[in-house]
Amino acid sequence: MKKEEVFTLRQVEDAHWWYLGHRYLFSALLEAYCPESLHGRVLDAGCGTGGFTQWFRDKYRPEIMAGIEISDDAFRLCEGRGLQGIKRSSIEDIDFPDSSFDLVISFNVLNHNAVKNDSVALSEMKRVLEPGGCLLLNLPARKSLRGRHDIAVGDVRRYETGGIKEKLVEAGLEPIRITYFNMMLLPVMATYRMITRMRPGKEIHSDLWLPPAPLNLILTLLLALEARIARRHDLPNGSSIAVLARRPEL
């Protein structure tokens, strides 16, 4: 991710509709399927600038809230939030012993260009999970949505539900839920990405900007509504994929 995009992320992630809406979904899935893991030992694998890590820590008060991050800039911003237990480490070589955590969360990391092999990363996340522990992933979906935003933030992969299910099984993980998300806004996003791909110019920037407060609230509420539906029902389409899996019991 470009240096300027790291700092943009830090400025917007605590209030941006996209991040807030996904938090509704993650809470819904974890509380429905893995409630026992929420207050245990938790790892944020690729915690970025720390917004999700801080939110999770403050909401659920886990016994341990650890994180790993490979970007020096993002790591320093985590320190600026006062987060403890953050290590410089890759998700392909996680610097924790086997079976260290009850829950591993990873928010749009497998898709990043810093990850050379996403299958290796999944195996590492399984390794550090306690048998019976849960893995929660969020991933960008639909290759047709690839655009300037992906280039700006360093995304090199977009996923489909069938493909990520195969990768989970190959890594020895049991899928619990795999659903698309951000379905209602998908037509708007697809149109926007198509237009920006056609627009001439050399400047490449992400889509990370904070809308006016009323619009930001409306978009947040739309995703909150989707999250209520996705709590029990898989959505057929969307710009994201939420994945919940479990390491099998011994």
Short mmCIF file of all heavy atoms in Angstrom, two decimals, residues 34-43 56-57 60-66 100-104:
data_model
loop_
_atom_site.label_atom_id
_atom_site.label_comp_id
_atom_site.label_asym_id
_atom_site.label_seq_id
_atom_site.Cartn_x
_atom_site.Cartn_y
_atom_site.Cartn_z
N CYS A 34 -19.55 -18.15 17.01
CA CYS A 34 -18.33 -18.35 17.81
C CYS A 34 -18.34 -17.47 19.06
O CYS A 34 -17.32 -16.80 19.34
CB CYS A 34 -17.09 -18.05 16.97
SG CYS A 34 -16.94 -19.03 15.48
N PRO A 35 -19.41 -17.43 19.81
CA PRO A 35 -19.47 -16.50 20.95
C PRO A 35 -18.42 -16.79 22.01
O PRO A 35 -17.94 -15.87 22.68
CB PRO A 35 -20.89 -16.70 21.49
CG PRO A 35 -21.28 -18.08 21.04
CD PRO A 35 -20.64 -18.25 19.70
N GLU A 36 -18.02 -18.04 22.14
CA GLU A 36 -17.04 -18.41 23.16
C GLU A 36 -15.65 -17.89 22.85
O GLU A 36 -14.79 -17.78 23.74
CB GLU A 36 -17.00 -19.94 23.33
CG GLU A 36 -16.45 -20.70 22.14
CD GLU A 36 -17.40 -20.83 20.95
OE1 GLU A 36 -18.57 -20.45 21.08
OE2 GLU A 36 -16.95 -21.32 19.91
N SER A 37 -15.40 -17.55 21.57
CA SER A 37 -14.07 -17.09 21.17
C SER A 37 -13.87 -15.58 21.37
O SER A 37 -12.73 -15.11 21.41
CB SER A 37 -13.82 -17.41 19.69
OG SER A 37 -13.90 -18.80 19.44
N LEU A 38 -14.95 -14.85 21.51
CA LEU A 38 -14.89 -13.39 21.50
C LEU A 38 -14.08 -12.82 22.66
O LEU A 38 -13.43 -11.78 22.53
CB LEU A 38 -16.30 -12.80 21.53
CG LEU A 38 -17.12 -12.97 20.27
CD1 LEU A 38 -18.57 -12.58 20.53
CD2 LEU A 38 -16.55 -12.14 19.14
N HIS A 39 -14.13 -13.50 23.79
CA HIS A 39 -13.51 -12.97 25.00
C HIS A 39 -12.23 -13.72 25.38
O HIS A 39 -11.70 -13.52 26.47
CB HIS A 39 -14.51 -13.01 26.16
CG HIS A 39 -15.82 -12.37 25.83
ND1 HIS A 39 -15.96 -11.01 25.67
CD2 HIS A 39 -17.04 -12.91 25.58
CE1 HIS A 39 -17.21 -10.74 25.36
NE2 HIS A 39 -17.89 -11.86 25.29
N GLY A 40 -11.75 -14.55 24.45
CA GLY A 40 -10.55 -15.33 24.72
C GLY A 40 -9.30 -14.67 24.18
O GLY A 40 -9.09 -13.46 24.29
N ARG A 41 -8.45 -15.47 23.55
CA ARG A 41 -7.18 -14.99 22.98
C ARG A 41 -7.40 -14.72 21.49
O ARG A 41 -7.71 -15.64 20.73
CB ARG A 41 -6.10 -16.05 23.18
CG ARG A 41 -5.86 -16.41 24.65
CD ARG A 41 -5.11 -17.73 24.77
NE ARG A 41 -5.90 -18.82 24.19
CZ ARG A 41 -5.38 -20.01 23.85
NH1 ARG A 41 -4.09 -20.25 24.02
NH2 ARG A 41 -6.16 -20.95 23.33
N VAL A 42 -7.22 -13.46 21.09
CA VAL A 42 -7.60 -13.02 19.75
C VAL A 42 -6.38 -12.43 19.04
O VAL A 42 -5.63 -11.64 19.62
CB VAL A 42 -8.73 -11.97 19.81
CG1 VAL A 42 -9.12 -11.53 18.40
CG2 VAL A 42 -9.94 -12.55 20.54
N LEU A 43 -6.21 -12.80 17.77
CA LEU A 43 -5.15 -12.24 16.92
C LEU A 43 -5.77 -11.55 15.73
O LEU A 43 -6.59 -12.13 15.02
CB LEU A 43 -4.22 -13.35 16.42
CG LEU A 43 -3.17 -12.91 15.39
CD1 LEU A 43 -2.13 -11.98 16.03
CD2 LEU A 43 -2.49 -14.11 14.74
N PHE A 56 -12.40 -3.92 18.24
CA PHE A 56 -12.68 -5.24 18.79
C PHE A 56 -12.29 -5.30 20.26
O PHE A 56 -13.04 -5.82 21.09
CB PHE A 56 -11.92 -6.30 17.99
CG PHE A 56 -12.34 -7.71 18.30
CD1 PHE A 56 -13.24 -8.37 17.49
CD2 PHE A 56 -11.85 -8.36 19.42
CE1 PHE A 56 -13.64 -9.66 17.78
CE2 PHE A 56 -12.25 -9.65 19.73
CZ PHE A 56 -13.15 -10.30 18.90
N ARG A 57 -11.11 -4.75 20.58
CA ARG A 57 -10.66 -4.75 21.98
C ARG A 57 -11.64 -4.03 22.89
O ARG A 57 -12.00 -4.52 23.96
CB ARG A 57 -9.29 -4.08 22.06
CG ARG A 57 -8.68 -4.03 23.46
CD ARG A 57 -7.60 -2.97 23.54
NE ARG A 57 -8.16 -1.62 23.38
CZ ARG A 57 -7.43 -0.51 23.29
NH1 ARG A 57 -6.12 -0.59 23.32
NH2 ARG A 57 -8.02 0.66 23.15
N TYR A 60 -15.29 -6.10 22.95
CA TYR A 60 -15.40 -7.45 23.51
C TYR A 60 -14.46 -7.72 24.68
O TYR A 60 -14.61 -8.73 25.36
CB TYR A 60 -15.16 -8.48 22.41
CG TYR A 60 -16.26 -8.47 21.37
CD1 TYR A 60 -16.02 -8.01 20.07
CD2 TYR A 60 -17.55 -8.89 21.69
CE1 TYR A 60 -17.03 -8.00 19.12
CE2 TYR A 60 -18.57 -8.88 20.74
CZ TYR A 60 -18.30 -8.43 19.46
OH TYR A 60 -19.30 -8.40 18.52
N ARG A 61 -13.48 -6.86 24.92
CA ARG A 61 -12.56 -7.01 26.05
C ARG A 61 -11.99 -8.43 26.13
O ARG A 61 -12.15 -9.13 27.15
CB ARG A 61 -13.28 -6.67 27.37
CG ARG A 61 -13.85 -5.27 27.43
CD ARG A 61 -12.75 -4.23 27.45
NE ARG A 61 -13.28 -2.88 27.51
CZ ARG A 61 -12.54 -1.79 27.50
NH1 ARG A 61 -11.22 -1.89 27.43
NH2 ARG A 61 -13.09 -0.60 27.56
N PRO A 62 -11.32 -8.90 25.09
CA PRO A 62 -10.78 -10.25 25.11
C PRO A 62 -9.67 -10.39 26.14
O PRO A 62 -9.03 -9.42 26.54
CB PRO A 62 -10.24 -10.44 23.69
CG PRO A 62 -9.94 -9.06 23.21
CD PRO A 62 -11.00 -8.19 23.83
N GLU A 63 -9.41 -11.63 26.53
CA GLU A 63 -8.34 -11.92 27.48
C GLU A 63 -6.99 -11.45 26.93
O GLU A 63 -6.18 -10.86 27.65
CB GLU A 63 -8.30 -13.43 27.73
CG GLU A 63 -7.15 -13.92 28.59
CD GLU A 63 -7.06 -15.43 28.63
OE1 GLU A 63 -8.03 -16.11 28.18
OE2 GLU A 63 -6.03 -15.94 29.10
N ILE A 64 -6.75 -11.72 25.65
CA ILE A 64 -5.55 -11.24 24.95
C ILE A 64 -5.99 -10.66 23.61
O ILE A 64 -6.78 -11.28 22.90
CB ILE A 64 -4.54 -12.39 24.72
CG1 ILE A 64 -3.98 -12.89 26.05
CG2 ILE A 64 -3.41 -11.93 23.79
CD1 ILE A 64 -3.12 -14.12 25.90
N MET A 65 -5.49 -9.47 23.28
CA MET A 65 -5.74 -8.88 21.97
C MET A 65 -4.39 -8.59 21.33
O MET A 65 -3.70 -7.64 21.70
CB MET A 65 -6.54 -7.58 22.10
CG MET A 65 -6.94 -6.96 20.77
SD MET A 65 -8.31 -7.81 19.95
CE MET A 65 -7.60 -8.14 18.34
N ALA A 66 -3.97 -9.47 20.44
CA ALA A 66 -2.67 -9.34 19.78
C ALA A 66 -2.88 -8.97 18.32
O ALA A 66 -3.97 -9.10 17.77
CB ALA A 66 -1.90 -10.65 19.89
N SER A 100 -2.01 -20.76 19.73
CA SER A 100 -1.93 -19.61 20.65
C SER A 100 -3.24 -18.87 20.81
O SER A 100 -3.40 -18.11 21.78
CB SER A 100 -0.87 -18.62 20.14
OG SER A 100 0.43 -19.16 20.24
N PHE A 101 -4.21 -19.06 19.88
CA PHE A 101 -5.38 -18.18 19.86
C PHE A 101 -6.68 -18.97 19.71
O PHE A 101 -6.73 -20.01 19.08
CB PHE A 101 -5.25 -17.16 18.72
CG PHE A 101 -4.07 -16.26 18.87
CD1 PHE A 101 -2.91 -16.49 18.14
CD2 PHE A 101 -4.10 -15.20 19.77
CE1 PHE A 101 -1.80 -15.67 18.30
CE2 PHE A 101 -2.99 -14.38 19.93
CZ PHE A 101 -1.84 -14.61 19.19
N ASP A 102 -7.73 -18.38 20.29
CA ASP A 102 -9.09 -18.92 20.15
C ASP A 102 -9.78 -18.34 18.92
O ASP A 102 -10.74 -18.94 18.42
CB ASP A 102 -9.91 -18.58 21.39
CG ASP A 102 -9.25 -19.08 22.66
OD1 ASP A 102 -9.07 -20.30 22.79
OD2 ASP A 102 -8.89 -18.24 23.51
N LEU A 103 -9.31 -17.18 18.47
CA LEU A 103 -9.92 -16.51 17.32
C LEU A 103 -8.84 -15.75 16.57
O LEU A 103 -8.04 -15.03 17.17
CB LEU A 103 -11.01 -15.53 17.79
CG LEU A 103 -11.64 -14.62 16.74
CD1 LEU A 103 -12.40 -15.43 15.69
CD2 LEU A 103 -12.58 -13.60 17.41
N VAL A 104 -8.81 -15.93 15.24
CA VAL A 104 -7.95 -15.13 14.36
C VAL A 104 -8.86 -14.36 13.42
O VAL A 104 -9.76 -14.94 12.79
CB VAL A 104 -6.97 -16.00 13.56
CG1 VAL A 104 -6.20 -15.16 12.54
CG2 VAL A 104 -5.99 -16.71 14.50
#
